[in-house]
Amino acid sequence: TNRISFRMLINQHTLLFGDTACLGQPKHIGSIDPACNVTEVVRDAYVSAKMLCEKYYMTAPELKIEEINSKAPKKPIQVVYVPSHLFHMLFELFKNSMRATVELYENSSEGLPPVKAMVTLGKEDLSIKISDKGGGVPLQKIDRLFNYTYSTAPTPHLVPSQTAVPLAGFGYGLPICRLYARYFQGELSLYSIEGFGTDAVIHLKALSSDSFERLPVFNKSAWRHYQTGPEADDWSNPSSDPRDASTY
Ligand code: ADP
Ligand code: MG
């Protein structure tokens, strides 16, 4: 989260005061779009994920978008946001949905079921739901999907001379996606029905006054909270003492 914040500051500064300051998007304020058209970003992220998916699987599911603006029906849904963050989150969700869909229907004679996106604006929340029929994940495993490096795809081998980007396998798509969502007071939740498919919902704040930066606070009581956490250690959550295996 701190890294997202640093990058945001550096980007913002160079975009506003750097040599190429006037070459950017004229209506943007640095990396912030005061009227970010959410459905357009959904479409862009879908197109990018689709290209990647087609490269690996020679096929990709279609996209169906539904827009519900409960504040101003029939008007496009806009929000003050950093489009690159939104793109990043949606790109990850589309890649996951596409992989699940294609892998489930690989040997089936029916066509691929489309991935659906629903963009909804309410008074407080702007929600984006990405739904697929890729077979879903059992309830027991849902929390695990947010662990860094958890992936059911084979680990990709990166060859420096090749620029091919893997579709999946590093296992940090979802946890980082959730950091981006939470960074401006939003949330990412996964609802899955095993045997059917998955709904991933990004909740954002509809009002810019609510979407202030959320940073980790390291004070004494926060530290105590981290120390008593029941999670097992990993590189993202190191501990100084070896754990007592009989307790865990
Ligand atoms: P990666 O895509 O690199 O594996 P992610 O963090 O994006 O890492 O996802 C972790 C795992 O969660 C995936 O490997 C997959 O098993 C599971 N997963 C995520 N999204 C879906 C989905 N829409 N349907 C089924 N499984 C999913
Ligand atoms: Mg992924």
Side-chain angles (χ1 to χ4, degrees), residues 1 9 29 44 52 57 91 135 161 169 178 196 211 215 244 247:
T1 305
L9 275 177
I29 302 162
D44 282 353
L52 201 57
Y57 296 109
F91 182 56
S161 58
R178 190 166 65 177
F196 179 72
S211 44
L215 290 176
D244 180 355
T247 337

Side-chain angles (χ1 to χ4, degrees), residues 30-117:
S31 58
I32 300 165
D33 185 352
C36 176
N37 185 315
V38 178
T39 306
E40 254 172 43
V41 184
V42 170
R43 241 183 234 115
D44 282 353
Y46 166 77
V47 170
S48 298
K50 183 177 185 239
M51 277 180 356
L52 201 57
C53 183
E54 282 174 342
K55 208 167 125 189
Y56 282 90
Y57 296 109
M58 314 292 284
T59 181
E62 292 298 310
L63 171 69
K64 278 198 177 155
I65 302 188
E66 191 184 356
E67 208 178 277
I68 300 164
N69 187 340
S70 74
K71 267 166 121 184
K74 293 196 180 138
K75 286 219 171 121
I77 295 178
Q78 294 185 331
V79 66
V80 185
Y81 210 75
V82 181
S84 58
H85 288 191
L86 193 54
F87 179 92
H88 189 106
M89 292 187 265
L90 291 163
F91 182 56
E92 291 303 330
L93 297 183
F94 276 128
K95 280 191 294 178
N96 286 351
S97 287
M98 286 179 182
R99 179 182 158 230
T101 306
V102 176
E103 293 206 346
L104 187 68
Y105 283 81
E106 217 165 18
N107 302 316
S108 131
S109 52
E110 312 160 42
L112 299 176
V115 171
K116 292 185 184 161

Side-chain angles (χ1 to χ4, degrees), residues 23-241:
L23 300 176
Q25 295 266 9
K27 287 182 185 152
H28 288 194
I29 302 162
S31 58
I32 300 165
D33 185 352
C36 176
N37 185 315
V38 178
T39 306
E40 254 172 43
V41 184
V42 170
R43 241 183 234 115
D44 282 353
Y46 166 77
V47 170
S48 298
K50 183 177 185 239
M51 277 180 356
L52 201 57
C53 183
E54 282 174 342
K55 208 167 125 189
Y56 282 90
Y57 296 109
M58 314 292 284
T59 181
E62 292 298 310
L63 171 69
K64 278 198 177 155
I65 302 188
E66 191 184 356
E67 208 178 277
I68 300 164
N69 187 340
S70 74
K71 267 166 121 184
K74 293 196 180 138
K75 286 219 171 121
I77 295 178
Q78 294 185 331
V79 66
V80 185
Y81 210 75
V82 181
S84 58
H85 288 191
L86 193 54
F87 179 92
H88 189 106
M89 292 187 265
L90 291 163
F91 182 56
E92 291 303 330
L93 297 183
F94 276 128
K95 280 191 294 178
N96 286 351
S97 287
M98 286 179 182
R99 179 182 158 230
T101 306
V102 176
E103 293 206 346
L104 187 68
Y105 283 81
E106 217 165 18
N107 302 316
S108 131
S109 52
E110 312 160 42
L112 299 176
V115 171
K116 292 185 184 161
M118 189 172 83
V119 182
T120 310
L121 181 66
K123 273 190 198 136
E124 272 183 48
D125 293 341
L126 194 167
S127 315
I128 308 163
K129 182 169 80 174
I130 308 293
S131 314
D132 65 63
K133 290 190 185 171
V137 184
L139 184 65
Q140 284 279 336
K141 280 199 184 142
I142 282 286
D143 289 341
R144 219 177 297 165
L145 308 193
F146 286 96
N147 285 353
Y148 289 92
T149 71
Y150 175 85
S151 177
T152 51
T155 310
H157 296 287
L158 278 186
V159 184
S161 58
Q162 285 178 359
T163 48
V165 196
L167 183 74
F170 289 124
Y172 54 66
L174 287 175
I176 290 186
C177 182
R178 190 166 65 177
L179 289 189
Y180 273 105
R182 289 179 174 175
Y183 179 61
F184 282 128
Q185 308 292 332
E187 187 55 278
L188 166 70
S189 319
L190 239 65
Y191 306 95
S192 201
I193 296 178
E194 193 195 10
F196 179 72
T198 306
D199 287 354
V201 183
I202 300 174
H203 288 288
L204 306 177
K205 296 290 179 192
L207 303 172
S208 56
S209 52
D210 289 338
S211 44
F212 44 90
E213 192 183 40
R214 175 170 139 171
L215 290 176
V217 180
F218 292 105
N219 53 28
K220 251 188 183 168
S221 54
W223 178 239
R224 216 171 297 135
H225 170 75
Y226 287 125
Q227 274 188 319
T228 52
E231 306 130 33
D233 296 337
D234 67 19
W235 59 270
S236 68
N237 180 26
S239 91
S240 48
D241 307 310

